[in-house]
Amino acid sequence: MIDSITIKDVKSKLGELCKTKRQSFDMSQQDLGDALGLSRYTIQKFESGKNATLDTVLKIANHFGLLQSIFKGVNQVVDEQNDISLY
């Protein structure tokens, strides 16, 4: 069985993660927006899975100390792709 993951699924999970982290730091959407130089509306849309630009994702990840984990994950995927051989 193929496990199908959509862009919408990923946006929703990123939004959930952002909201959970923001609330664990006792921050409002406005507080997070101010800290990142973004509007409260951008944070609201991100958390609802409707606005997940790469720049926004990376700003939020960096703010909550998740940037290194994302970088490691990307590196792992790159390494795995480089290990694929057709022979």
Side-chain angles (χ1 to χ4, degrees):
M1 177 185 262
I2 296 175
D3 192 17
S4 178
I5 298 172
T6 67
I7 292 171
K8 183 178 178 180
D9 295 335
V10 175
K11 284 181 173 184
S12 292
K13 282 297 178 185
L14 287 170
E16 288 176 32
L17 176 61
C18 177
K19 184 175 183 177
T20 300
K21 294 300 269 183
R22 176 180 60 76
Q23 290 175 336
S24 74
F25 281 79
D26 198 29
M27 298 178 81
S28 68
Q29 290 176 338
Q30 185 67 52
D31 294 336
L32 181 57
D34 290 346
L36 300 176
L38 302 171
S39 69
R40 179 199 59 79
Y41 181 71
T42 298
I43 301 301
Q44 177 187 19
K45 297 297 268 184
F46 183 84
E47 288 183 357
S48 66
K50 294 187 172 94
N51 182 10
T53 66
L54 181 58
D55 193 53
T56 301
V57 170
L58 296 177
K59 282 181 179 182
I60 291 169
N62 188 49
H63 182 79
F64 291 121
L66 302 171
L67 197 59
Q68 186 172 357
S69 294
I70 291 173
F71 186 71
K72 284 180 182 179
V74 170
N75 274 336
Q76 181 178 352
V77 170
V78 169
D79 291 344
E80 289 170 2
Q81 294 298 310
N82 288 336
D83 289 342
I84 294 175
S85 173
L86 298 176
Y87 300 102

